[in-house]
Amino acid sequence: MVFLSWTRPTPKDQKDCINKSGTFNYDSKYRGVTAKPLSMLKEDKELSKDGFLINHSKILVGSGSDAYEKGKTALQTWRHFGLSWAFVDPKTPIEKGVKFCVCVKEFVPWLRMPLQIIYANETRSNKTSASFGFGGGTLGGHLLSGEERFSVEMDGDKQVWYEILSISKPAHPLSVIGYPYVFLRQKYFAHQSSDAVRKFVSSK
């Protein structure tokens, strides 16, 4: 099953996608794996053995506690998906168990891809270090199988970073055939999404 729309998906279209999506389309043993650091994922031989590829992007978007709070707000309001060709309903709450629909324009049709939030975490180790992030797992009807984390982090030097970390593999014949293209699109999304977050953080 693939969810296609010839015009920009309406709220009703997105809800229909979520209602028909069913359960997760990847092994439960990997549920929540993107909460781990990149270094641990690279050492996990099971991931590569099972056909998963790791995609990672980490970009400096600002500095200081105000920049961190704005970065957190950007994720909570889905500004990182505020693109002309990709979006998520900005009213979608960042809470464990919430299902959401990523809408992506590919050539003529729009793809609607269902996911569910696996976890949402915020940590504050001291006055100068904090992080906020959440991970979404793919559901039936998504072209890929896997999980993706979006996070913002303020390090000990008060620099604020936006990070995307995902594991994925094809879940549909279309993505099997075009996976090199899909992987490039993931890289392109990371670049555009980082720009969107950086602009929001730097805005007054």
Side-chain angles (χ1 to χ4, degrees), residues 103-203:
C103 300
V104 178
K105 186 169 177 31
E106 293 292 350
F107 302 109
V108 176
W110 284 80
L111 289 170
R112 289 170 289 150
M113 296 184 286
L115 299 97
Q116 182 172 328
I117 295 176
I118 308 277
Y119 61 86
N121 302 317
E122 181 168 26
T123 60
R124 292 179 182 271
S125 56
N126 52 53
K127 291 184 178 179
T128 60
S129 298
S131 66
F132 170 79
F134 70 95
T138 55
L139 303 174
H142 199 295
L143 289 180
L144 301 177
S145 293
E147 195 174 290
E148 189 165 35
R149 165 168 59 87
F150 301 97
S151 60
V152 289
E153 175 189 8
M154 181 171 66
D155 63 23
D157 296 321
K158 290 193 172 184
Q159 291 187 310
V160 179
W161 303 85
Y162 169 52
E163 184 176 22
I164 303 173
L165 177 62
S166 69
I167 61 164
S168 66
K169 64 180 180 179
H172 187 278
L174 284 175
S175 53
V176 172
I177 295 169
Y179 195 61
Y181 169 76
V182 172
F183 197 69
L184 286 174
R185 288 294 274 176
Q186 287 179 322
K187 295 290 187 183
Y188 181 64
F189 168 78
H191 174 73
Q192 293 233 312
S193 180
S194 298
D195 279 348
V197 173
R198 185 165 46 225
K199 287 176 183 177
F200 182 78
V201 169
S202 63
S203 65

Side-chain angles (χ1 to χ4, degrees), residues 1 43 63 70 96 106 115 137 172 193 196:
M1 180 191 307
E43 293 171 0
S63 62
K70 291 192 77 172
K96 181 180 179 180
E106 293 292 350
L115 299 97
H172 187 278
S193 180

Side-chain angles (χ1 to χ4, degrees), residues 13-87:
D13 293 331
Q14 296 169 60
K15 186 176 181 179
D16 181 63
C17 170
I18 291 170
N19 289 341
K20 293 180 180 178
S21 61
T23 58
F24 294 105
N25 66 357
Y26 66 108
D27 198 306
S28 60
K29 69 180 180 181
Y30 295 124
R31 217 69 50 78
V33 72
T34 55
K36 297 177 182 179
L38 173 64
S39 58
M40 292 185 68
L41 295 190
K42 286 183 174 180
E43 293 171 0
D44 190 336
K45 303 301 182 184
E46 289 294 311
L47 281 175
S48 57
K49 182 181 177 182
D50 284 348
F52 286 102
L53 291 180
I54 298 171
N55 191 25
H56 178 250
S57 171
K58 188 173 183 179
I59 302 293
L60 182 67
V61 294
S63 62
S65 56
D66 286 346
Y68 169 74
E69 291 298 332
K70 291 192 77 172
K72 177 181 170 182
T73 297
L75 297 194
Q76 290 174 324
T77 55
W78 299 90
R79 299 293 182 121
H80 56 302
F81 269 96
L83 310 176
S84 61
W85 58 275
F87 72 93

